[in-house]
Amino acid sequence: MMMPPPLSLDEWMDNFMAEWAPDNEPEDVPSASERKVISKYLHGRISAGEAAFEYTRDTISGKTSGDVWFLIYYIAQTLPETQDRLIELIRAITALPDESLASGKVQSWSSVGLADLHSNLRDRWDGDLDHIKDNPATGRRRAFIDLTLFIARLRSEGLLRTPYFSNMVMFFALEREESMQVLDTYVLAAARYLEWAVQDVFTESMNEYACSGSLLKKAKEYGDVERWHFWKSRMAVLGNEGGLSQKARDAAKSSLARMLKVEIVIAQ
């Protein structure tokens, strides 16, 4: 059984509200009942099924029109130790029976709800990606890496099918010229992604319509280069890149080994 997160979760929730609420419309702020349910669930006081029903009640009744997923993925990226439990909660939410939501239309959590999760998570990731260059603070970089990990885990569970996302993760980590500080973060994020979604990465690398970064374009000037093989070669280079942290270099080496291993598995 998963251990609940530390009791400081409630303090974290208070800090989150103090930071988030003043700059956002009331309907966009997680309701008190949503926050209470999440707290009870992550402390092991209610089951995933009970939490799923209680957590979505305000959305179904029309009491809130905000992003029902926001609090879940925000916690996942700032308290990554909760990710196992949050994935279990998402699975329980998507298993809820169809309900008549505030719009008056009968919608399914497993279709409409997940579609919202897909688009909102991608928007969040894109926004954090942009902030990495402007704000290199360690906490923001770590949150971006942990959000990338959460997305990879959701994909591995079949709960997220964001098209071409795997290509985007590798594009920023392996195909573009970046400062070493920014590249360090991107490589660590790509490595965490590959831990859970390496086969997705291999499959998406075959997409001939995906855009190419400047480094891949240069490589193609000397002949036909398959994206997957280019990514492997870049991981090999980054594993010995003195400008990166030791942690990032080790992550690149582990990622290369994982990519070579999946080739063997797929070939069998």
Side-chain angles (χ1 to χ4, degrees), residues 17 23 37 68 76-77 98 106 130 151 154 159-160 167 170 181 192 199-200 202 208 217-218 231 235 237 243 261 265:
M17 288 301 296
D23 298 325
V37 170
V68 71
Q77 75 171 132
D98 294 354
V106 175
D130 291 337
I151 292 172
L154 290 173
L159 293 170
L160 200 65
N167 265 341
M170 299 302 123
Q181 186 176 41
R192 297 311 305 270
Q199 192 151 342
D200 274 356
F202 178 84
E208 59 183 289
K217 288 178 180 177
K218 287 180 181 179
W231 288 346
M235 282 298 188
V237 169
K261 183 176 180 180
V265 173

Side-chain angles (χ1 to χ4, degrees), residues 233-261:
S233 68
R234 281 290 293 156
M235 282 298 188
V237 169
L238 293 170
N240 295 288
E241 174 54 68
L244 296 178
S245 67
Q246 185 62 53
K247 186 175 182 180
R249 292 198 299 272
D250 290 344
K253 291 174 183 176
S254 298
S255 295
L256 176 58
R258 188 167 284 111
M259 294 168 82
L260 293 171
K261 183 176 180 180

Side-chain angles (χ1 to χ4, degrees), residues 31 33-38 46 48-72 89-102 107-110 113-114:
S31 67
S33 62
E34 287 172 341
R35 302 195 304 272
K36 182 178 180 181
V37 170
I38 287 287
I46 56 176
E50 291 169 325
F53 177 76
E54 291 185 32
Y55 185 72
T56 58
R57 188 161 47 195
D58 282 354
T59 301
I60 292 170
S61 66
K63 290 181 181 178
T64 178
S65 58
D67 174 12
V68 71
W69 303 108
F70 174 76
L71 187 58
I72 293 176
L89 176 59
I90 291 173
R91 188 181 294 108
I93 290 175
T94 61
L96 288 172
D98 294 354
E99 297 282 358
S100 179
L101 303 185
Q107 303 185 67
S108 168
W109 283 107
S110 62
L114 276 185

Side-chain angles (χ1 to χ4, degrees), residues 16-216:
F16 159 75
M17 288 301 296
E19 176 184 346
W20 181 258
D23 298 325
N24 291 273
E25 297 298 324
E27 62 268 20
D28 294 329
V29 176
S31 67
S33 62
E34 287 172 341
R35 302 195 304 272
K36 182 178 180 181
V37 170
I38 287 287
S39 179
K40 286 194 300 182
Y41 171 65
L42 290 179
H43 284 103
R45 297 172 191 147
I46 56 176
S47 69
E50 291 169 325
F53 177 76
E54 291 185 32
Y55 185 72
T56 58
R57 188 161 47 195
D58 282 354
T59 301
I60 292 170
S61 66
K63 290 181 181 178
T64 178
S65 58
D67 174 12
V68 71
W69 303 108
F70 174 76
L71 187 58
I72 293 176
Y73 60 71
Y74 197 84
I75 292 175
Q77 75 171 132
T78 50
L79 297 174
E81 64 272 20
T82 65
Q83 287 189 9
D84 284 344
R85 296 276 285 161
L86 293 173
I87 290 170
E88 185 180 352
L89 176 59
I90 291 173
R91 188 181 294 108
I93 290 175
T94 61
L96 288 172
D98 294 354
E99 297 282 358
S100 179
L101 303 185
S103 64
K105 298 178 181 177
V106 175
Q107 303 185 67
S108 168
W109 283 107
S110 62
S111 56
V112 177
L114 276 185
D116 288 343
L117 177 62
H118 300 174
S119 61
N120 294 345
L121 261 179
R122 176 58 189 271
D123 288 346
R124 177 73 186 184
W125 189 86
D126 287 346
D128 282 5
L129 181 78
D130 291 337
H131 288 146
I132 293 300
K133 292 183 179 181
D134 301 329
N135 186 347
T138 301
R140 184 177 288 277
R141 294 169 60 201
R142 184 169 55 246
F144 174 73
I145 293 167
D146 287 327
L147 180 63
T148 306
L149 168 64
F150 188 55
I151 292 172
R153 296 190 63 184
L154 290 173
R155 285 181 71 103
S156 73
E157 295 282 343
L159 293 170
L160 200 65
R161 299 179 183 85
T162 308
Y164 313 126
F165 186 79
S166 295
N167 265 341
M168 293 302 296
V169 174
M170 299 302 123
F171 171 83
F172 284 101
L174 304 175
E175 295 187 16
R176 287 163 49 101
E177 297 180 81
E178 299 285 358
S179 70
M180 284 299 162
Q181 186 176 41
V182 171
L183 186 59
D184 203 274
T185 302
Y186 289 172
V187 169
L188 288 169
R192 297 311 305 270
Y193 191 85
L194 283 162
E195 288 177 22
W196 291 89
V198 64
Q199 192 151 342
D200 274 356
V201 172
F202 178 84
T203 300
E204 286 197 10
S205 72
M206 306 303 173
N207 176 19
E208 59 183 289
Y209 299 107
C211 61
S212 298
S214 58
L215 295 177
L216 179 55

